Amino acid sequence: MIAFFLLFLCPAVPAQPPQQQADSDRILIVKRLYDEKRWEEIVRLVPATSNDSAELDFYRGLALARLQRWAEAQAALEAGRLKESRDKRFPIELAGVSYQRKEFSRAKAFLKQALRLDPEDAYASNFLASLYLLEGNVEAAVQYWNRIGRPEITEIRSDPEPRARAALLDRAFSFSPLSVLRLADLRTTQARLENLWIFPRYRFELLPEEEESFTVLFRATERNGWGDSKLEGIFSLLRGLPYQTIDPEFYNLHRSAYNIVSLWRWDAQKRRLNASFSAPLGQDPGWRLKFYLDGRNENWDISRNFQGSTSLLSGLKLLKSEAGAEIRSVASDRWSWRTGVSFAYREFRNTSGLSPRTAPLFSDGFSLQYQAGLNYRLLRNAERRITVHALASAGVGRMLARPLGFFAPIQGSLVLQWFPLSRGDDYEMNSRFRTGRMFGQVPLDELYALGLERDNDLWLRGHIGTQGGKKGSSPMGREYVLWNWEADKIVHQNGFLTVRLGPFVDIGRITDPSGDFISRGWLCDPGVQSKVILFGGLRVIFSYGKDLRSGRNAFYITAQR
């Protein structure tokens, strides 16, 4: 009687539902079969049905994957993932199936889902990093390996061996053997190498070694002397010959990244002689010192823009000499800065008949100017291969000639570069937004100008900046806004050259608060351009643009290094 009473008071233990008990039993059997590698028996025991538990779907998917029945394995794992969306095993195994089916994009998406469920999962991070490495995206691979304290470097090699001094390159590399390669160190190294100005193209490769370590291989095209071959040197020297210019350039002198870059243009309308010498400051690749000299003898025709006196518009001449020095520094993988001073003398000729209001624009005399600039990386998404930089520059100067005095130019820009495909550079898109304003009174040559001209980088590719070879036909002023967009695709490539082709759109507006120059409102220039990239990084650009406001066409050719 007492036993019956106690049984009545004690709560009954609920029995396991028959279906759940059956699933548990089947799971134990399936696990045993999986350990014994009896894949076919698992598939027969767990048929394709939506009534099974997620665990049974998981083992069915694993067994089908072992049998290389990829489509069925994917279906089974997808079914289980829908039932247990928080179980990271499903996206990880689905990534493996997608990899076997050569669907790398789907594999990466599944692995990222797994890492959202468990950011500490070492297998998923390692798998994802390996996929990016297979695609040649070293930065994305290093980014995910860094989450698990990898990759460890055993050796750093170069192929071909650079001619630059080993000590200089050692200082450029922020990482070293027998250490973990960090993404920030890799990017700092890239910035320092670019600051040497002798590696127009380079890349890093990770070569797997034993025990999950890697050798870092540095491959680069290096500028030495006036070219690695006579043909390259001659082409570089004479690339501006069609527009009466030669470009004597000598790089990596004394194997120390000492560079001499010069230009001689004998065009009767715009003669110019320019030379610069730059070198790592204290043999530190993170610092660069540059000295330059510049002399100009130019004829100007500003009749299309100027609203002042009309007696001098087509016969204006400018003589200018300038000397300056600049220091550039790579502060980190995210930002760099520069600072410099310049001293100039200018003289305007054929300026008779000027009104008192416009006379300061053509003032002769000396000027002294200080400038500073900052380049900051806002975004660098290694996975999506997109980079966004913010650049700002400001200066303050003084015109020693009266009635001019202090002036201050300020400019800012956002630069975007994107490679849409997961590997290679077959497609590329670039966009740049710029704006600037000049405070104070300055001579004519210090004003901003929008248009195609060899001494100007504010391009509106439907506007030619010269008229009859004379400068001054571009829209000019003291304030501007400019947006350049272009996209191109490789249409031909061999061991000698690469040809890229694509559209562009330029939109800009320039105004002059003083009223000296005509404001044309917003200008839009669409067009198409081709870039021919030769050995050594030489680029010949052919562009055709149309000014939608006036209907004029502009065909332009330029060569760059």
Side-chain angles (χ1 to χ4, degrees), residues 368-371 393-399 405-411 436-442 446 448 478:
L368 182 64
Q369 185 176 3
Y370 167 79
Q371 288 189 332
S393 65
V396 59
R398 179 176 177 82
M399 303 297 302
F406 285 99
F407 64 93
I410 297 178
Q411 296 187 81
R437 182 174 181 181
M438 180 69 69
F439 295 90
Q441 288 188 314
V442 292
E446 292 287 343
Y448 302 119
R478 291 171 170 83

CSV table of all heavy atoms in Angstrom, one decimal, residues 368-371 393-399 405-411 436-442 446 448 478:
chain,number,residue,atom,x,y,z
A,368,LEU,N,56.7,82.0,-53.3
A,368,LEU,CA,57.2,80.9,-52.4
A,368,LEU,C,56.0,80.2,-51.9
A,368,LEU,O,55.0,80.8,-51.5
A,368,LEU,CB,58.0,81.5,-51.3
A,368,LEU,CG,58.6,80.5,-50.2
A,368,LEU,CD1,59.7,79.7,-50.9
A,368,LEU,CD2,59.2,81.3,-49.0
A,369,GLN,N,56.0,78.8,-52.0
A,369,GLN,CA,54.9,78.1,-51.6
A,369,GLN,C,55.3,76.8,-50.8
A,369,GLN,O,56.3,76.2,-51.1
A,369,GLN,CB,54.1,77.6,-52.9
A,369,GLN,CG,52.8,76.9,-52.6
A,369,GLN,CD,52.0,76.6,-53.9
A,369,GLN,OE1,52.5,76.9,-55.0
A,369,GLN,NE2,50.9,76.0,-53.7
A,370,TYR,N,54.4,76.5,-49.8
A,370,TYR,CA,54.6,75.3,-49.0
A,370,TYR,C,53.3,74.5,-49.2
A,370,TYR,O,52.2,75.0,-49.3
A,370,TYR,CB,54.7,75.6,-47.5
A,370,TYR,CG,54.5,74.4,-46.6
A,370,TYR,CD1,55.6,73.5,-46.5
A,370,TYR,CD2,53.3,74.1,-46.0
A,370,TYR,CE1,55.4,72.4,-45.7
A,370,TYR,CE2,53.1,73.0,-45.2
A,370,TYR,CZ,54.2,72.1,-45.1
A,370,TYR,OH,54.0,71.0,-44.3
A,371,GLN,N,53.5,73.1,-49.4
A,371,GLN,CA,52.4,72.2,-49.7
A,371,GLN,C,52.6,71.0,-48.8
A,371,GLN,O,53.7,70.6,-48.5
A,371,GLN,CB,52.4,71.8,-51.1
A,371,GLN,CG,51.9,72.9,-52.1
A,371,GLN,CD,51.7,72.3,-53.5
A,371,GLN,OE1,52.3,71.3,-53.9
A,371,GLN,NE2,50.8,73.0,-54.2
A,393,SER,N,45.1,67.6,-50.0
A,393,SER,CA,46.3,68.4,-50.1
A,393,SER,C,46.0,69.9,-49.8
A,393,SER,O,44.9,70.3,-50.2
A,393,SER,CB,47.0,68.3,-51.5
A,393,SER,OG,46.1,68.8,-52.5
A,394,ALA,N,46.9,70.6,-49.2
A,394,ALA,CA,46.7,72.0,-48.9
A,394,ALA,C,48.0,72.7,-49.0
A,394,ALA,O,49.1,72.1,-48.8
A,394,ALA,CB,46.0,72.2,-47.5
A,395,GLY,N,48.0,74.0,-49.3
A,395,GLY,CA,49.2,74.7,-49.4
A,395,GLY,C,49.0,76.2,-48.9
A,395,GLY,O,47.8,76.6,-48.8
A,396,VAL,N,50.1,76.8,-48.7
A,396,VAL,CA,50.0,78.3,-48.5
A,396,VAL,C,51.2,78.9,-49.1
A,396,VAL,O,52.3,78.3,-49.1
A,396,VAL,CB,50.0,78.6,-46.9
A,396,VAL,CG1,51.2,78.0,-46.2
A,396,VAL,CG2,49.8,80.1,-46.7
A,397,GLY,N,51.0,80.0,-49.8
A,397,GLY,CA,52.1,80.6,-50.5
A,397,GLY,C,52.0,82.1,-50.5
A,397,GLY,O,51.0,82.7,-50.0
A,398,ARG,N,53.0,82.7,-51.0
A,398,ARG,CA,53.0,84.2,-51.1
A,398,ARG,C,53.6,84.6,-52.4
A,398,ARG,O,54.7,84.2,-52.8
A,398,ARG,CB,53.7,84.8,-49.9
A,398,ARG,CG,53.7,86.4,-50.0
A,398,ARG,CD,54.4,87.0,-48.8
A,398,ARG,NE,54.5,88.4,-48.9
A,398,ARG,CZ,53.5,89.3,-48.6
A,398,ARG,NH1,52.3,88.8,-48.1
A,398,ARG,NH2,53.6,90.6,-48.7
A,399,MET,N,52.8,85.5,-53.1
A,399,MET,CA,53.4,86.1,-54.3
A,399,MET,C,54.1,87.4,-53.8
A,399,MET,O,53.5,88.3,-53.2
A,399,MET,CB,52.2,86.5,-55.3
A,399,MET,CG,51.4,85.3,-55.7
A,399,MET,SD,52.3,84.0,-56.6
A,399,MET,CE,52.9,85.0,-58.0
A,405,GLY,N,49.4,88.8,-52.8
A,405,GLY,CA,49.9,88.5,-51.5
A,405,GLY,C,49.8,87.0,-51.2
A,405,GLY,O,50.2,86.2,-52.0
A,406,PHE,N,49.2,86.6,-50.1
A,406,PHE,CA,49.1,85.2,-49.7
A,406,PHE,C,48.0,84.5,-50.5
A,406,PHE,O,47.0,85.2,-50.9
A,406,PHE,CB,48.8,85.1,-48.2
A,406,PHE,CG,49.9,85.4,-47.4
A,406,PHE,CD1,50.1,86.6,-46.7
A,406,PHE,CD2,50.9,84.4,-47.1
A,406,PHE,CE1,51.2,86.9,-45.9
A,406,PHE,CE2,52.0,84.7,-46.3
A,406,PHE,CZ,52.1,85.9,-45.7
A,407,PHE,N,48.2,83.3,-50.8
A,407,PHE,CA,47.2,82.4,-51.4
A,407,PHE,C,47.3,81.0,-50.8
A,407,PHE,O,48.3,80.6,-50.2
A,407,PHE,CB,47.4,82.4,-52.9
A,407,PHE,CG,48.7,81.7,-53.3
A,407,PHE,CD1,48.8,80.4,-53.6
A,407,PHE,CD2,49.9,82.5,-53.4
A,407,PHE,CE1,50.0,79.8,-54.0
A,407,PHE,CE2,51.1,81.9,-53.8
A,407,PHE,CZ,51.1,80.5,-54.1
A,408,ALA,N,46.2,80.3,-51.0
A,408,ALA,CA,46.1,78.9,-50.4
A,408,ALA,C,45.2,78.0,-51.3
A,408,ALA,O,44.0,78.2,-51.4
A,408,ALA,CB,45.5,79.0,-49.0
A,409,PRO,N,45.9,77.0,-51.9
A,409,PRO,CA,45.1,76.0,-52.7
A,409,PRO,C,44.7,74.8,-51.8
A,409,PRO,O,45.5,74.4,-51.0
A,409,PRO,CB,46.0,75.6,-53.8
A,409,PRO,CG,47.4,75.8,-53.2
A,409,PRO,CD,47.3,76.9,-52.2
A,410,ILE,N,43.5,74.3,-51.9
A,410,ILE,CA,43.0,73.2,-51.2
A,410,ILE,C,42.3,72.2,-52.1
A,410,ILE,O,41.5,72.6,-52.9
A,410,ILE,CB,42.1,73.6,-50.0
A,410,ILE,CG1,42.8,74.5,-49.0
A,410,ILE,CG2,41.5,72.3,-49.3
A,410,ILE,CD1,41.8,74.9,-47.9
A,411,GLN,N,42.7,70.9,-52.1
A,411,GLN,CA,42.1,69.9,-52.9
A,411,GLN,C,41.9,68.7,-52.2
A,411,GLN,O,42.6,68.3,-51.2
A,411,GLN,CB,43.0,69.6,-54.1
A,411,GLN,CG,43.2,70.8,-55.1
A,411,GLN,CD,44.0,70.4,-56.3
A,411,GLN,OE1,43.4,69.8,-57.3
A,411,GLN,NE2,45.3,70.6,-56.4
A,436,GLY,N,38.4,71.1,-55.6
A,436,GLY,CA,39.4,72.0,-55.2
A,436,GLY,C,39.0,73.5,-55.2
A,436,GLY,O,38.0,73.9,-55.9
A,437,ARG,N,39.7,74.3,-54.4
A,437,ARG,CA,39.4,75.7,-54.4
A,437,ARG,C,40.7,76.5,-54.1
A,437,ARG,O,41.5,76.0,-53.3
A,437,ARG,CB,38.4,76.0,-53.3
A,437,ARG,CG,38.0,77.5,-53.2
A,437,ARG,CD,36.9,77.8,-52.3
A,437,ARG,NE,36.5,79.2,-52.3
A,437,ARG,CZ,35.6,79.8,-51.5
A,437,ARG,NH1,34.9,79.0,-50.6
A,437,ARG,NH2,35.3,81.1,-51.6
A,438,MET,N,40.8,77.6,-54.8
A,438,MET,CA,42.0,78.5,-54.6
A,438,MET,C,41.5,79.7,-53.8
A,438,MET,O,40.6,80.4,-54.3
A,438,MET,CB,42.6,78.9,-56.0
A,438,MET,CG,43.8,79.8,-55.9
A,438,MET,SD,45.2,79.0,-55.2
A,438,MET,CE,45.6,77.8,-56.5
A,439,PHE,N,42.2,80.0,-52.7
A,439,PHE,CA,41.9,81.2,-51.9
A,439,PHE,C,43.0,82.2,-52.2
A,439,PHE,O,44.2,81.9,-52.3
A,439,PHE,CB,41.9,80.8,-50.4
A,439,PHE,CG,40.7,79.9,-50.0
A,439,PHE,CD1,40.9,78.5,-50.0
A,439,PHE,CD2,39.5,80.4,-49.6
A,439,PHE,CE1,39.9,77.7,-49.7
A,439,PHE,CE2,38.5,79.6,-49.3
A,439,PHE,CZ,38.7,78.2,-49.3
A,440,GLY,N,42.6,83.5,-52.3
A,440,GLY,CA,43.6,84.5,-52.6
A,440,GLY,C,43.8,84.8,-54.0
A,440,GLY,O,43.2,84.0,-54.9
A,441,GLN,N,44.5,85.8,-54.4
A,441,GLN,CA,44.8,86.1,-55.8
A,441,GLN,C,46.1,85.4,-56.2
A,441,GLN,O,47.1,85.4,-55.5
A,441,GLN,CB,44.9,87.6,-55.9
A,441,GLN,CG,43.6,88.4,-55.8
A,441,GLN,CD,43.8,89.8,-56.2
A,441,GLN,OE1,44.7,90.5,-55.8
A,441,GLN,NE2,42.8,90.3,-57.0
A,442,VAL,N,46.0,84.8,-57.4
A,442,VAL,CA,47.2,84.1,-58.0
A,442,VAL,C,47.3,84.4,-59.4
A,442,VAL,O,46.3,84.9,-60.1
A,442,VAL,CB,47.0,82.6,-57.8
A,442,VAL,CG1,47.1,82.2,-56.3
A,442,VAL,CG2,45.7,82.1,-58.4
A,446,GLU,N,48.5,79.4,-62.0
A,446,GLU,CA,48.1,78.7,-60.8
A,446,GLU,C,46.6,78.3,-60.7
A,446,GLU,O,46.2,77.6,-59.8
A,446,GLU,CB,48.4,79.6,-59.6
A,446,GLU,CG,49.9,79.8,-59.4
A,446,GLU,CD,50.6,78.5,-58.8
A,446,GLU,OE1,49.9,77.6,-58.3
A,446,GLU,OE2,51.9,78.5,-58.9
A,448,TYR,N,43.0,76.5,-61.8
A,448,TYR,CA,42.6,75.1,-62.2
A,448,TYR,C,42.1,75.2,-63.6
A,448,TYR,O,41.5,76.1,-64.1
A,448,TYR,CB,41.6,74.6,-61.3
A,448,TYR,CG,42.0,74.5,-59.8
A,448,TYR,CD1,41.3,75.2,-58.8
A,448,TYR,CD2,43.1,73.8,-59.4
A,448,TYR,CE1,41.6,75.2,-57.5
A,448,TYR,CE2,43.5,73.7,-58.1
A,448,TYR,CZ,42.7,74.4,-57.1
A,448,TYR,OH,43.1,74.4,-55.8
A,478,ARG,N,38.8,79.2,-60.3
A,478,ARG,CA,39.4,79.0,-58.9
A,478,ARG,C,38.7,77.9,-58.1
A,478,ARG,O,39.1,77.6,-57.0
A,478,ARG,CB,39.3,80.3,-58.2
A,478,ARG,CG,40.3,81.4,-58.8
A,478,ARG,CD,40.1,82.7,-58.1
A,478,ARG,NE,41.1,83.7,-58.5
A,478,ARG,CZ,41.2,84.4,-59.7
A,478,ARG,NH1,40.2,84.2,-60.5
A,478,ARG,NH2,42.2,85.2,-59.9
